[in-house]
Amino acid sequence: MRLAERQQGGDSALELKPLSQDVDAIRARSEAPSLDVVQAGSLRRILELSERLPDDWSGMLGPTTLQEDFGALRFQLAYMAYVLALTHAHRLPAAPVVFQKPFDNFIQKILSPDVWTYWHYVSTGRGPFNKSLGELPAQWNPVEVDNIMYSAYVQSMALMYHYLFRDPKYARPGALSFSIKPLFWGEGGKLFLYDETSLNDHIYWNMVERGYLGIACEPNCIFQVCNQIPIIGFRFHDLVYGGNLAREVTDGYLAAWSEFGILNEMGHYNMMIQERERTLITPDQAPWADFWMAALMHAWNPDFVREHYPKQMAAWRMDGPDGTLTIRPVRSIAPNRPELISARDFGWAAVCASEVGDEETLARMLRYADSMLQPTWERGSYYYPRQDEPVNASGMPITMDPHTGNVLLAYARLNVPGGLAKLYDGVWNDEHFAEPAVVGMSSGIDVRQAWFDNATGMLSLAFAPRDQRALAAEFEIGRFWGRGTWTILLDDVAVASGDPGTVLSSTGGIAVRREDERLVIALPLNGLTSVLVVWDRSDAR
C-alpha cells in the first residue's frame, strides 16, 4: 500500500540515530497487508455492534421473530466473532487491541437469555420434522440436549478466544453461565454453569453417542452445516490443550455420513437427517445449504469442497448488470412463511467464494452488493441495511437482512483465500506472542495496518481518524524493548530513535516515551498515517 503523504512538523530536529539500512529498501520491504477504506468500514460496523449496551440489538433485527431463522442473533454474534478472528489472524496480527475486547463482548452477548430462551419452546418439538416424537418436555438449559445450533457457537467462540489471545478467561469454572433472573415468575430463576472445557466435553460425548453423525439442532433434526461448528470448536480445543479430538470426530463424521452421502445425486450438500426416521431431508432450492456448508467444511476438508464448488456455483449464479454477479432467487423453504426470504444465499455464496479463493466471483458479487444493495456509511461503519422487498423493478434481487448486511458480506470482504482453513490449521505459535504489537490505543482511531515482519525486524502500522476529523492520538506498543536500537518513521520520515532500553530522540511533532514494557507514541492524526518501527538487527548480532 502506498500511504498518504504527511506534512512534516515544524519543530527543530533533534539528533536521530542514522539508519543503518537504506530507507528506500525499507519501504520496499514494508509492503505489509493493510485494509482499504471499505474493509476498514466493514470491520468498524462489527466493532460498533460489539460495543452496544447489553441487549441492545438495534440494527440486528430481521423480519422474523422467535430467533428461528438462519439470521437469528446467535448466528450474527458468532460469525462476527469469526470475522474478528480471521481479520486479526490474516490482516492485522499485530493489533490485538482492536480485537480482544470486541470478541469477548460477543461471547458475553451470546450468553444473554435474549439469544437462547427460544430453546424452551423449540425443545418441545411438534414441528414439521419432529412431530413423530410427540410433545417433548420443555427445556431451559440451552446446551444440555440437542440445540447444537447454539451450543457449538458458544463452545467454538470461547476456545477460539482462548487461542487467539492466550486468555484463559472462559476456562475458569462457571465462566460460561446461562442465567435467567425473572422478576415475576419462576422464583429463583435458572442458572446453568459451564466453562470452555466442560462444554466442549459435553458436546464431544454427545457427538460420540450419536456415532459422529452429528447433534440435532431442533429435536430429531441433524443438520450437516450446524455440525461443522463443533468440529471447529474441537480443533481450537486441540490447539489450546493438545490432543486430536478434531481428527477423531472428522474421521467418524465421514464414516457416519457415508451411509447417507454428504452430497446428493445432483452434487449438492444434503441438508439434514431426521434422527429417528434416519431419513434425508434436502430441499431442491437451497443455495445457502451448498455455500454455508462449503465455507465451513473447507476448514478441515478443503480438497473435497474445492472439487465440488465450481458446479455448485454454476448452478446458482446469475449475471447482474455491468459485469456483476448475484445468486438467482429461489422460493422460500417454508412456503407459508414468505418473510423467510433473505439474502443469505447471496451472503454465504460470497463467503464461500472468499474461502475457496474464487477471487473473480467474489469481486463481481461485491460489486453487485455495492451497486444494488444500498451500501451505507454511518459514523465510519460500512454495511447494507435491511431491505424486505425481494426484487427491484428489473427483477433483480435486492433483499437484504441484518445477518448478511452486517456480517456475511464483511466476512467475505475481510477473509483471505483459505482463511478459515489456515486458522483451523493453527496460525500462531509462541513466537507470535513474543512479537511487538499494538496493545493500547486512544479512541476514535481505525487501525489500517499492523504487521510485524520478524525476518526484517519491522513493525508496519497505519492509523486513520475514524470519522476523518483530526484528533490527538496515542497508542502503545507492547513487547517493544530489548530488540536492539530502533528508529520510527512517520510517513517515511525518521522521527524518533532509541537504544534497546531508552528513547534517545524524537521530532516531527510526536512524543515518544517508555512506560514499563511498552513504548507510547502520541501524535496528531490528521489522516491516514503510517508508522514504521525498524529495529537494527546489526546491533543484535
Side-chain angles (χ1 to χ4, degrees):
M1 179 186 73
R2 183 64 184 169
L3 296 169
E5 293 186 357
R6 181 179 186 278
Q7 295 295 320
Q8 178 71 354
D11 40 343
S12 58
L14 303 177
E15 288 191 9
L16 294 174
K17 184 181 186 300
L19 282 170
S20 62
Q21 304 171 66
D22 179 78
V23 171
D24 288 337
I26 289 173
R27 289 173 186 156
R29 290 182 300 171
S30 65
E31 294 294 322
S34 60
L35 302 186
D36 63 29
V37 172
V38 178
Q39 287 173 325
S42 301
L43 175 60
R44 169 51 43 199
R45 174 64 172 178
I46 289 174
L47 296 175
E48 190 267 327
L49 290 173
S50 79
E51 295 165 356
R52 297 279 175 90
L53 293 172
D55 295 342
D56 175 0
W57 310 112
S58 52
M60 298 177 65
L61 299 177
T64 61
T65 57
L66 302 176
Q67 299 298 309
E68 285 192 299
D69 69 71
F70 292 133
L73 293 174
R74 60 188 179 279
F75 299 110
Q76 292 187 57
L77 295 168
Y79 288 111
M80 283 193 280
Y82 280 32
V83 174
L84 295 182
L86 292 165
T87 309
H88 184 28
H90 301 308
R91 296 190 182 275
L92 301 174
V97 66
V98 175
F99 300 98
Q100 183 168 2
K101 183 65 166 59
F103 199 117
D104 191 26
N105 288 348
F106 285 133
I107 296 175
Q108 292 299 311
K109 288 176 182 295
I110 205 171
L111 297 177
S112 165
D114 282 3
V115 180
W116 55 264
T117 46
Y118 71 88
W119 181 241
H120 181 68
Y121 306 99
V122 173
S123 62
T124 61
R126 294 198 303 166
F129 301 120
N130 53 28
K131 55 189 174 186
S132 66
L133 303 181
E135 183 164 354
L136 302 169
Q139 304 286 335
W140 280 112
N141 185 333
V143 301
E144 184 176 18
V145 178
D146 298 335
N147 203 19
I148 197 67
M149 57 189 172
Y150 172 76
S151 60
Y153 287 112
V154 180
Q155 168 229 16
S156 64
M157 290 166 71
L159 289 160
M160 195 181 291
Y161 173 87
H162 192 160
Y163 172 74
L164 289 172
F165 305 109
R166 287 207 167 173
D167 182 351
K169 175 178 181 178
Y170 294 102
R172 292 194 287 270
L176 296 172
S177 65
F178 307 95
S179 172
I180 308 175
K181 299 175 182 176
L183 289 174
F184 301 116
W185 57 273
E187 183 178 7
K190 308 288 182 185
L191 176 63
F192 309 102
L193 298 176
Y194 292 82
D195 56 64
E196 64 186 24
T197 54
S198 64
L199 180 58
N200 187 78
D201 288 350
H202 182 70
I203 292 172
Y204 167 75
W205 284 111
N206 264 276
M207 186 75 82
V208 172
E209 289 165 3
R210 262 69 179 257
Y212 302 104
L213 186 64
I215 301 169
C217 293
E218 295 84 2
N220 206 39
C221 303
I222 298 178
F223 281 77
Q224 275 213 91
V225 68
C226 292
N227 281 281
Q228 304 310 301
I229 303 302
I231 289 171
I232 292 170
F234 295 142
R235 178 56 184 157
F236 281 95
H237 180 276
D238 294 343
L239 289 170
V240 172
Y241 293 102
N244 217 354
L245 288 183
R247 180 59 183 271
E248 175 195 327
V249 171
T250 53
D251 286 349
Y253 180 94
L254 292 173
W257 275 86
S258 66
E259 178 183 345
F260 304 95
I262 289 174
L263 302 175
N264 66 15
E265 66 278 6
M266 300 297 291
H268 299 294
Y269 287 96
N270 282 315
M271 184 179 75
M272 59 165 269
I273 289 172
Q274 286 178 285
E275 190 172 12
R276 180 181 186 184
E277 295 83 354
R278 297 188 75 79
T279 301
L280 273 172
I281 302 290
T282 301
D284 60 358
Q285 297 285 310
W288 60 268
D290 280 346
F291 297 126
W292 190 1
M293 180 71 185
L296 299 182
M297 183 179 258
H298 191 261
W300 62 271
N301 201 6
D303 293 342
F304 180 87
V305 168
R306 286 198 294 270
E307 177 186 351
H308 298 284
Y309 163 82
K311 185 177 178 181
Q312 293 160 351
M313 179 58 79
W316 303 119
R317 60 188 286 172
M318 182 176 84
D319 288 338
D322 303 321
T324 61
L325 188 148
T326 186
I327 300 300
R328 63 180 171 83
V330 297
R331 64 179 181 272
S332 169
I333 61 172
N336 60 337
R337 298 288 300 276
E339 72 276 18
L340 289 179
I341 289 290
S342 76
R344 65 173 173 270
D345 293 335
F346 181 81
W348 277 114
V351 171
C352 185
S354 75
E355 178 65 22
V356 303
D358 184 356
E359 296 184 355
E360 180 188 355
T361 294
L362 175 61
R364 293 178 64 190
M365 296 188 74
L366 292 178
R367 288 203 303 275
Y368 185 89
D370 291 339
S371 61
M372 303 287 286
L373 303 178
Q374 303 184 79
T376 298
W377 283 100
E378 188 174 280
R379 299 189 301 276
S381 295
Y382 188 79
Y383 68 105
Y384 304 86
R386 174 178 158 181
Q387 164 62 266
D388 291 355
E389 292 298 319
V391 295
N392 64 12
S394 302
M396 299 301 296
I398 57 170
T399 299
M400 183 50 61
D401 59 89
H403 186 36
T404 304
N406 291 328
V407 189
L408 296 183
L409 293 177
Y411 189 137
R413 201 181 294 275
L414 288 161
N415 194 18
V416 300
L420 187 61
K422 293 172 184 172
L423 197 62
Y424 186 91
D425 287 343
V427 288
W428 289 334
N429 53 24
D430 291 344
E431 186 177 88
H432 166 79
F433 292 98
E435 293 172 347
V438 181
V439 297
M441 192 169 65
S442 53
S443 61
I445 303 170
D446 279 341
V447 177
R448 301 277 288 275
Q449 186 178 65
W451 190 276
F452 179 69
D453 185 337
N454 195 39
T456 59
M458 292 191 294
L459 176 63
S460 302
L461 307 170
F463 305 92
R466 184 170 307 157
D467 57 7
Q468 300 184 336
R469 289 183 294 184
L471 54 83
E474 185 170 283
F475 56 91
E476 305 170 7
I477 302 174
R479 306 187 286 266
F480 184 90
W481 301 100
R483 298 175 177 276
T485 58
W486 50 270
T487 302
I488 295 176
L489 284 77
L490 198 64
D491 288 341
D492 298 338
V493 177
V495 293
S497 65
D499 64 22
T502 312
V503 177
L504 297 178
S505 63
S506 65
T507 185
I510 75 167
V512 182
R513 66 183 188 276
R514 177 171 182 166
E515 285 191 5
D516 301 323
E517 295 307 310
R518 293 163 290 134
L519 180 80
V520 181
I521 301 175
L523 73 164
L525 197 61
N526 302 312
L528 182 60
T529 301
S530 75
V531 177
L532 182 64
V533 185
V534 184
W535 279 270
D536 190 340
R537 293 301 177 87
S538 64
D539 288 358
R541 288 193 288 268

